[in-house]
Coordinates of all heavy atoms in Angstrom, one line a residue:
M1 N -78.6 -3.4 6.8 CA -77.3 -3.7 6.1 C -76.7 -2.4 5.7 O -77.3 -1.4 5.3 CB -77.6 -4.5 4.8 CG -76.4 -5.0 4.1 SD -76.8 -6.2 2.8 CE -77.3 -5.1 1.5
L2 N -75.4 -2.3 5.9 CA -74.6 -1.1 5.5 C -74.7 -0.8 4.0 O -74.6 -1.8 3.2 CB -73.2 -1.2 6.0 CG -72.9 -1.2 7.5 CD1 -71.5 -1.3 7.7 CD2 -73.5 0.1 8.1
Q3 N -74.7 0.5 3.6 CA -74.7 0.8 2.2 C -73.4 0.6 1.6 O -73.2 0.3 0.4 CB -75.2 2.2 2.0 CG -76.6 2.5 2.4 CD -77.0 4.0 2.3 OE1 -76.2 4.8 1.8 NE2 -78.1 4.3 2.9
M4 N -72.3 0.8 2.4 CA -70.9 0.8 1.9 C -70.7 1.8 0.7 O -70.5 1.4 -0.4 CB -70.6 -0.6 1.4 CG -71.0 -1.8 2.3 SD -70.1 -1.9 3.9 CE -68.5 -2.5 3.3
R5 N -70.9 3.1 1.1 CA -70.7 4.1 0.0 C -69.3 4.1 -0.5 O -68.4 3.8 0.2 CB -71.1 5.5 0.6 CG -72.6 5.5 1.0 CD -72.9 6.8 1.7 NE -74.3 6.8 2.2 CZ -74.8 7.7 3.1 NH1 -74.0 8.7 3.5 NH2 -76.0 7.6 3.5
P6 N -69.2 4.5 -1.8 CA -68.0 4.3 -2.5 C -66.8 5.3 -2.3 O -65.7 5.1 -2.8 CB -68.4 4.4 -4.0 CG -69.6 5.3 -4.0 CD -70.3 5.0 -2.7
G7 N -67.1 6.4 -1.6 CA -66.0 7.4 -1.5 C -66.2 8.3 -0.3 O -67.3 8.4 0.3
C8 N -65.1 9.1 0.0 CA -65.1 10.0 1.1 C -66.0 11.3 0.7 O -65.8 11.8 -0.3 CB -63.7 10.4 1.4 SG -63.6 11.7 2.7
E9 N -66.8 11.7 1.6 CA -67.7 12.9 1.4 C -66.9 14.2 1.4 O -67.3 15.2 0.8 CB -68.7 13.0 2.5 CG -70.0 12.2 2.3 CD -71.1 12.6 3.2 OE1 -71.3 13.7 3.6 OE2 -71.8 11.6 3.6
C10 N -65.7 14.2 1.9 CA -64.8 15.4 2.0 C -63.9 15.5 0.7 O -63.9 16.5 0.1 CB -63.9 15.4 3.2 SG -64.8 15.6 4.7
C11 N -63.2 14.4 0.4 CA -62.2 14.5 -0.6 C -62.4 13.6 -1.8 O -61.6 13.6 -2.7 CB -60.8 14.2 0.0 SG -60.6 12.5 0.5
D12 N -63.5 12.8 -1.7 CA -63.9 12.0 -2.8 C -62.9 10.8 -3.1 O -62.9 10.2 -4.1 CB -64.1 12.8 -4.1 CG -65.1 12.1 -5.1 OD1 -66.0 11.4 -4.6 OD2 -65.0 12.3 -6.3
K13 N -62.1 10.6 -2.1 CA -61.2 9.4 -2.2 C -62.0 8.1 -2.3 O -63.0 8.0 -1.6 CB -60.2 9.4 -1.0 CG -59.3 8.2 -0.9 CD -58.5 8.3 0.4 CE -58.0 6.9 0.8 NZ -56.6 6.9 1.0
D14 N -61.5 7.2 -3.1 CA -62.2 5.9 -3.2 C -62.1 5.1 -1.9 O -61.0 5.0 -1.4 CB -61.6 5.1 -4.4 CG -62.0 5.6 -5.7 OD1 -63.0 6.3 -5.8 OD2 -61.3 5.4 -6.7
L15 N -63.2 4.5 -1.5 CA -63.2 3.7 -0.3 C -63.8 2.4 -0.6 O -65.0 2.1 -0.4 CB -63.9 4.4 0.8 CG -63.3 5.7 1.3 CD1 -64.3 6.5 2.2 CD2 -62.0 5.5 2.0
P16 N -63.0 1.5 -1.2 CA -63.6 0.2 -1.7 C -64.1 -0.6 -0.5 O -63.5 -0.6 0.6 CB -62.4 -0.6 -2.3 CG -61.4 0.5 -2.6 CD -61.6 1.6 -1.5
P17 N -65.3 -1.3 -0.7 CA -65.9 -2.0 0.5 C -65.1 -3.1 1.0 O -65.3 -3.5 2.2 CB -67.2 -2.5 -0.2 CG -67.0 -2.6 -1.6 CD -66.0 -1.5 -1.9
E18 N -64.2 -3.7 0.3 CA -63.4 -4.8 0.7 C -62.1 -4.4 1.4 O -61.2 -5.2 1.7 CB -63.1 -5.8 -0.4 CG -62.1 -5.4 -1.5 CD -62.7 -4.4 -2.4 OE1 -63.8 -3.9 -2.3 OE2 -61.9 -4.0 -3.4
Q19 N -61.9 -3.0 1.5 CA -60.6 -2.5 2.1 C -60.9 -1.7 3.3 O -61.9 -1.1 3.5 CB -59.9 -1.6 1.1 CG -59.2 -2.4 0.0 CD -58.5 -1.5 -1.1 OE1 -58.2 -0.4 -0.7 NE2 -58.4 -2.0 -2.3
R20 N -59.9 -1.8 4.2 CA -60.0 -0.9 5.4 C -59.7 0.5 5.0 O -59.3 0.8 3.9 CB -58.9 -1.4 6.4 CG -59.2 -2.7 7.0 CD -58.0 -3.3 7.7 NE -58.3 -4.6 8.3 CZ -58.5 -4.7 9.6 NH1 -58.3 -3.7 10.4 NH2 -58.8 -5.9 10.1
G21 N -60.0 1.4 5.9 CA -59.7 2.8 5.6 C -60.9 3.7 5.6 O -60.8 4.9 5.6
A22 N -62.1 3.1 5.6 CA -63.3 4.0 5.6 C -63.8 4.1 7.0 O -63.6 3.3 7.9 CB -64.4 3.3 4.8
R23 N -64.4 5.3 7.3 CA -64.9 5.6 8.6 C -66.4 6.1 8.4 O -66.7 6.8 7.4 CB -64.2 6.8 9.3 CG -62.7 6.5 9.5 CD -62.5 5.4 10.6 NE -61.0 5.2 10.9 CZ -60.3 4.4 10.2 NH1 -60.8 3.7 9.2 NH2 -59.0 4.2 10.5
I24 N -67.3 5.6 9.3 CA -68.7 6.0 9.1 C -69.3 6.4 10.5 O -68.8 6.0 11.5 CB -69.6 4.8 8.6 CG1 -69.4 3.6 9.5 CG2 -69.2 4.5 7.1 CD1 -70.4 2.5 9.1
C25 N -70.3 7.2 10.4 CA -71.1 7.6 11.6 C -72.3 6.7 11.6 O -72.5 5.8 10.7 CB -71.5 9.1 11.6 SG -72.9 9.4 10.5
S26 N -73.2 6.9 12.6 CA -74.4 6.0 12.7 C -75.4 6.2 11.5 O -76.2 5.3 11.3 CB -75.1 6.3 14.0 OG -75.7 7.5 14.0
F27 N -75.3 7.3 10.8 CA -76.1 7.5 9.6 C -75.4 7.1 8.4 O -75.9 7.3 7.3 CB -76.5 9.0 9.5 CG -77.3 9.5 10.7 CD1 -76.7 10.2 11.7 CD2 -78.7 9.2 10.7 CE1 -77.5 10.7 12.8 CE2 -79.4 9.7 11.8 CZ -78.9 10.4 12.8
E28 N -74.2 6.6 8.5 CA -73.4 6.1 7.4 C -72.9 7.3 6.5 O -72.6 7.1 5.3 CB -74.2 5.1 6.5 CG -73.9 3.7 7.0 CD -74.4 2.6 6.0 OE1 -73.7 2.4 5.0 OE2 -75.5 2.1 6.1
C29 N -72.8 8.5 7.1 CA -71.9 9.5 6.5 C -70.5 8.8 6.4 O -70.1 8.2 7.4 CB -71.9 10.7 7.3 SG -73.5 11.4 7.7
T30 N -69.9 8.9 5.3 CA -68.7 8.1 5.0 C -67.5 9.0 4.7 O -67.6 9.9 3.8 CB -69.0 7.1 3.9 OG1 -70.1 6.4 4.2 CG2 -67.8 6.2 3.6
F31 N -66.4 8.7 5.4 CA -65.2 9.5 5.2 C -64.0 8.6 5.2 O -64.0 7.5 5.7 CB -65.1 10.6 6.3 CG -66.3 11.5 6.4 CD1 -67.3 11.2 7.3 CD2 -66.4 12.6 5.6 CE1 -68.4 12.0 7.4 CE2 -67.6 13.4 5.6 CZ -68.6 13.1 6.6
C32 N -62.8 9.2 4.6 CA -61.6 8.4 4.7 C -60.9 8.7 6.0 O -61.2 9.6 6.7 CB -60.7 8.8 3.5 SG -60.0 10.4 3.6
A33 N -60.0 7.8 6.3 CA -59.3 7.8 7.6 C -58.5 9.1 7.7 O -58.4 9.7 8.8 CB -58.4 6.6 7.8
D34 N -57.9 9.6 6.6 CA -57.1 10.8 6.7 C -58.0 12.1 7.0 O -57.6 12.9 7.9 CB -56.5 11.1 5.3 CG -55.4 10.1 5.0 OD1 -54.9 9.4 6.0 OD2 -55.0 9.9 3.9
C35 N -59.1 12.2 6.4 CA -60.0 13.3 6.8 C -60.5 13.2 8.2 O -60.6 14.3 8.9 CB -61.2 13.4 5.8 SG -60.8 13.9 4.1
V36 N -60.8 12.0 8.7 CA -61.3 11.9 10.0 C -60.2 12.3 11.0 O -60.5 13.0 12.0 CB -61.8 10.4 10.3 CG1 -62.1 10.2 11.7 CG2 -63.1 10.2 9.4
A37 N -59.0 11.8 10.8 CA -57.9 12.1 11.7 C -57.5 13.5 11.6 O -57.0 14.1 12.5 CB -56.7 11.1 11.4
G38 N -57.7 14.1 10.4 CA -57.2 15.5 10.2 C -58.3 16.5 10.5 O -58.7 16.8 11.6
V39 N -58.9 17.0 9.4 CA -59.8 18.1 9.5 C -61.1 17.8 10.3 O -61.6 18.7 11.0 CB -60.3 18.6 8.1 CG1 -61.1 17.5 7.3 CG2 -61.1 19.9 8.1
L40 N -61.5 16.6 10.4 CA -62.8 16.3 11.1 C -62.6 16.1 12.6 O -63.6 16.1 13.3 CB -63.5 15.1 10.4 CG -63.9 15.3 9.0 CD1 -64.5 14.0 8.4 CD2 -64.8 16.5 8.8
G41 N -61.4 15.7 13.0 CA -61.1 15.5 14.4 C -62.0 14.4 15.0 O -62.3 14.4 16.2
G42 N -62.3 13.4 14.2 CA -63.0 12.2 14.7 C -64.6 12.4 14.8 O -65.2 11.4 15.3
R43 N -65.1 13.5 14.5 CA -66.6 13.8 14.5 C -67.1 14.0 13.2 O -66.6 14.6 12.3 CB -66.9 15.0 15.4 CG -66.5 14.9 16.8 CD -67.6 14.4 17.7 NE -67.0 13.7 18.9 CZ -67.7 12.9 19.6 NH1 -69.0 12.6 19.4 NH2 -67.2 12.4 20.7
C44 N -68.3 13.4 13.0 CA -69.0 13.6 11.7 C -69.4 15.1 11.5 O -70.1 15.6 12.4 CB -70.3 12.7 11.6 SG -71.2 13.0 10.1
P45 N -69.1 15.7 10.4 CA -69.4 17.1 10.2 C -70.9 17.3 9.9 O -71.4 18.4 10.0 CB -68.6 17.6 9.0 CG -68.4 16.3 8.3 CD -68.3 15.2 9.3
N46 N -71.6 16.3 9.6 CA -73.1 16.4 9.3 C -73.9 16.3 10.5 O -74.9 17.0 10.7 CB -73.5 15.3 8.3 CG -72.7 15.4 7.0 OD1 -72.3 16.5 6.5 ND2 -72.4 14.3 6.4
C47 N -73.6 15.3 11.4 CA -74.5 15.1 12.5 C -73.8 15.2 13.9 O -74.4 15.2 14.9 CB -75.1 13.7 12.4 SG -73.9 12.3 12.6
G48 N -72.5 15.4 13.9 CA -71.7 15.6 15.1 C -71.4 14.3 15.8 O -70.9 14.3 16.9
G49 N -71.8 13.2 15.2 CA -71.6 11.9 15.9 C -70.2 11.3 15.7 O -69.4 11.8 15.0
E50 N -70.0 10.2 16.4 CA -68.7 9.5 16.3 C -68.5 8.9 14.9 O -69.4 8.4 14.3 CB -68.7 8.3 17.2 CG -68.6 8.7 18.7 CD -68.7 7.4 19.5 OE1 -69.7 6.8 19.6 OE2 -67.6 6.9 20.0
L51 N -67.3 8.9 14.5 CA -66.9 8.2 13.2 C -66.0 7.0 13.6 O -65.0 7.2 14.2 CB -66.1 9.2 12.3 CG -67.0 10.3 11.7 CD1 -66.2 11.3 11.0 CD2 -68.0 9.7 10.6
L52 N -66.4 5.9 13.2 CA -65.7 4.6 13.6 C -65.4 3.9 12.3 O -66.0 4.1 11.2 CB -66.6 3.8 14.5 CG -67.0 4.4 15.8 CD1 -67.9 3.5 16.6 CD2 -65.8 4.8 16.6
R53 N -64.5 2.9 12.4 CA -64.1 2.2 11.3 C -65.2 1.4 10.7 O -65.9 0.7 11.4 CB -62.9 1.2 11.6 CG -62.3 0.6 10.4 CD -61.0 -0.2 10.7 NE -61.4 -1.5 11.3 CZ -61.7 -2.6 10.6 NH1 -61.8 -2.5 9.2 NH2 -62.0 -3.7 11.1
R54 N -65.4 1.5 9.4 CA -66.4 0.7 8.7 C -65.9 -0.7 8.5 O -64.8 -0.9 8.0 CB -66.7 1.3 7.3 CG -67.9 0.6 6.6 CD -68.2 1.3 5.3 NE -67.1 1.0 4.3 CZ -67.0 1.6 3.1 NH1 -67.9 2.4 2.7 NH2 -66.0 1.3 2.3
P55 N -66.7 -1.7 8.9 CA -66.2 -3.1 8.7 C -66.1 -3.4 7.2 O -66.8 -2.9 6.4 CB -67.3 -3.9 9.3 CG -68.4 -3.0 9.8 CD -68.0 -1.6 9.5
V56 N -65.1 -4.3 6.9 CA -64.9 -4.7 5.6 C -66.0 -5.7 5.2 O -66.4 -6.5 6.1 CB -63.5 -5.3 5.5 CG1 -63.4 -6.2 4.2 CG2 -62.5 -4.3 5.6
R57 N -66.5 -5.7 4.0 CA -67.4 -6.7 3.5 C -66.6 -7.7 2.7 O -66.0 -7.3 1.7 CB -68.6 -6.1 2.7 CG -69.6 -7.2 2.3 CD -70.9 -6.5 1.7 NE -71.5 -5.7 2.7 CZ -72.6 -4.9 2.5 NH1 -73.0 -4.7 1.2 NH2 -73.1 -4.2 3.4
P58 N -66.6 -9.0 3.0 CA -65.8 -10.0 2.3 C -66.3 -10.0 0.8 O -67.4 -9.9 0.5 CB -66.1 -11.3 3.0 CG -66.6 -10.9 4.4 CD -67.3 -9.6 4.2
A59 N -65.3 -10.3 0.0 CA -65.5 -10.3 -1.5 C -66.6 -11.3 -1.9 O -67.4 -11.0 -2.8 CB -64.2 -10.6 -2.2
D60 N -66.7 -12.4 -1.2 CA -67.7 -13.4 -1.7 C -69.1 -13.0 -1.3 O -70.1 -13.4 -1.9 CB -67.3 -14.8 -1.1 CG -67.4 -14.8 0.5 OD1 -67.1 -13.7 1.1 OD2 -67.7 -15.8 1.0
R61 N -69.2 -12.1 -0.3 CA -70.5 -11.5 0.0 C -70.9 -10.3 -0.9 O -72.0 -10.1 -1.1 CB -70.5 -11.1 1.5 CG -70.5 -12.2 2.5 CD -71.6 -13.1 2.3 NE -71.6 -14.2 3.3 CZ -71.0 -15.3 3.2 NH1 -70.2 -15.5 2.2 NH2 -71.0 -16.3 4.1
L62 N -69.9 -9.6 -1.4 CA -70.1 -8.5 -2.2 C -70.8 -8.9 -3.5 O -71.6 -8.1 -4.1 CB -68.8 -7.8 -2.6 CG -68.3 -6.8 -1.5 CD1 -66.9 -6.4 -1.9 CD2 -69.2 -5.6 -1.4
A63 N -70.6 -10.1 -4.0 CA -71.3 -10.6 -5.2 C -72.8 -10.6 -4.9 O -73.6 -10.3 -5.8 CB -70.7 -12.0 -5.6
R64 N -73.2 -11.1 -3.7 CA -74.6 -11.2 -3.4 C -75.2 -9.9 -2.9 O -76.4 -9.6 -3.0 CB -74.9 -12.3 -2.5 CG -74.9 -13.7 -3.1 CD -74.9 -14.8 -2.1 NE -76.0 -14.7 -1.1 CZ -76.1 -15.3 0.1 NH1 -75.0 -16.0 0.5 NH2 -77.1 -15.2 0.8
F65 N -74.4 -9.2 -2.1 CA -74.8 -7.9 -1.5 C -73.9 -6.8 -1.9 O -73.0 -6.4 -1.2 CB -74.8 -8.1 0.0 CG -75.5 -9.3 0.5 CD1 -74.9 -10.5 0.9 CD2 -76.9 -9.3 0.6 CE1 -75.6 -11.6 1.3 CE2 -77.6 -10.4 1.1 CZ -77.0 -11.5 1.4
P66 N -74.1 -6.3 -3.1 CA -73.2 -5.3 -3.6 C -73.2 -4.0 -2.9 O -74.2 -3.6 -2.3 CB -73.7 -5.1 -5.1 CG -75.0 -5.6 -5.1 CD -75.2 -6.6 -4.0
A67 N -72.0 -3.3 -2.9 CA -71.9 -2.0 -2.2 C -72.6 -1.0 -3.0 O -72.8 -1.1 -4.2 CB -70.4 -1.7 -2.1
S68 N -73.0 0.1 -2.4 CA -73.6 1.3 -3.0 C -72.6 1.9 -4.0 O -71.4 1.9 -3.8 CB -73.9 2.3 -2.0 OG -74.2 3.6 -2.7
T69 N -73.1 2.4 -5.2 CA -72.2 3.1 -6.1 C -72.6 4.6 -6.2 O -72.0 5.3 -7.0 CB -72.4 2.5 -7.5 OG1 -73.8 2.5 -7.9 CG2 -71.9 1.0 -7.6
R70 N -73.5 5.0 -5.3 CA -73.9 6.4 -5.3 C -73.0 7.2 -4.5 O -72.8 7.1 -3.3 CB -75.3 6.5 -4.8 CG -75.9 7.9 -5.1 CD -77.3 8.1 -4.5 NE -78.2 7.0 -4.8 CZ -79.4 6.8 -4.2 NH1 -79.8 7.6 -3.2 NH2 -80.2 5.9 -4.6
R71 N -72.2 8.1 -5.2 CA -71.2 8.9 -4.6 C -71.8 10.1 -4.0 O -72.6 10.8 -4.6 CB -70.2 9.2 -5.7 CG -68.8 9.5 -5.2 CD -67.8 9.5 -6.4 NE -67.3 8.1 -6.6 CZ -66.2 7.7 -5.9 NH1 -65.5 8.5 -5.1 NH2 -65.8 6.5 -6.1
K72 N -71.4 10.4 -2.8 CA -71.8 11.6 -2.1 C -70.6 12.5 -1.8 O -69.6 12.0 -1.4 CB -72.5 11.2 -0.8 CG -73.9 11.9 -0.5 CD -74.4 11.5 0.8 CE -74.9 12.8 1.5 NZ -75.5 12.5 2.8
L73 N -70.7 13.8 -2.1 CA -69.6 14.7 -1.9 C -70.1 16.0 -1.4 O -71.1 16.5 -2.0 CB -68.8 14.9 -3.2 CG -67.5 15.7 -3.1 CD1 -66.5 15.0 -2.2 CD2 -66.9 15.8 -4.5
K74 N -69.5 16.5 -0.3 CA -70.0 17.8 0.2 C -69.5 18.9 -0.7 O -68.3 19.1 -0.8 CB -69.5 18.0 1.6 CG -70.1 17.0 2.6 CD -69.4 17.1 4.0 CE -69.8 18.3 4.8 NZ -71.2 18.3 5.1
A75 N -70.4 19.6 -1.3 CA -70.0 20.6 -2.3 C -69.2 21.7 -1.6 O -68.3 22.3 -2.3 CB -71.3 21.2 -3.0
E76 N -69.5 22.0 -0.4 CA -68.9 23.1 0.3 C -67.6 22.7 1.0 O -66.9 23.5 1.7 CB -69.8 23.8 1.3 CG -70.1 22.9 2.5 CD -71.2 21.8 2.3 OE1 -71.4 21.5 1.2 OE2 -71.7 21.3 3.3
G77 N -67.2 21.4 0.8 CA -66.0 20.9 1.4 C -66.2 20.6 2.9 O -67.4 20.7 3.4
C78 N -65.2 20.3 3.6 CA -65.4 19.8 5.0 C -64.7 20.7 6.0 O -63.6 21.2 5.8 CB -64.8 18.4 5.2 SG -66.0 17.2 4.6
A79 N -65.4 20.9 7.1 CA -64.8 21.6 8.2 C -65.2 20.8 9.5 O -66.1 19.9 9.4 CB -65.4 23.0 8.4
A80 N -64.5 21.0 10.6 CA -64.8 20.2 11.8 C -66.2 20.5 12.2 O -66.7 21.6 12.0 CB -63.8 20.6 12.9
A81 N -66.8 19.6 12.9 CA -68.2 19.8 13.5 C -68.1 20.9 14.5 O -67.2 21.1 15.2 CB -68.6 18.5 14.2
A82 N -69.2 21.7 14.4 CA -69.3 22.9 15.3 C -69.4 22.5 16.8 O -70.0 21.4 17.0 CB -70.4 23.8 14.9
Ligands
LIG101 ZN1 -61.3 12.1 2.7
LIG102 ZN1 -73.1 11.8 10.4

């Protein structure tokens, strides 16, 4: 099951689990669409993998399967994958 992390690792923008706009890699590194299209160039800066749209979790399922609240933020900021 996806963790559905609450914010972008680059800019800390909120990424609610019931809204589109979040992008994740296979390890669930989580970023907003703006950072992915901009500075990241579509690649995860942590693992170099693809960043794809995170599926939305329907609100009625969130009650039983809550999204993660643990916020992750890259202290050094984001740069494109090497
Ligand atoms: Zn961002
Ligand atoms: Zn990654």
Side-chain angles (χ1 to χ4, degrees):
M1 190 170 79
L2 293 177
Q3 295 173 12
M4 314 290 287
R5 294 178 189 165
C8 174
E9 278 190 36
C10 288
C11 68
D12 209 26
K13 176 185 158 121
D14 288 335
L15 296 170
E18 73 283 5
Q19 285 178 24
R20 291 162 177 258
R23 301 289 183 273
I24 57 173
C25 77
S26 70
F27 297 100
E28 272 193 77
C29 308
T30 303
F31 304 96
C32 71
D34 289 343
C35 287
V36 171
V39 65
L40 299 180
R43 296 270 153 197
C44 175
N46 301 326
C47 70
E50 288 176 286
L51 288 166
L52 302 178
R53 190 173 77 79
R54 186 179 69 186
V56 165
R57 184 169 296 171
D60 64 330
R61 292 298 184 276
L62 279 168
R64 277 170 60 199
F65 305 102
S68 167
T69 56
R70 195 182 306 165
R71 205 164 270 272
K72 229 185 132 180
L73 185 63
K74 290 170 78 64
E76 71 279 18
C78 277

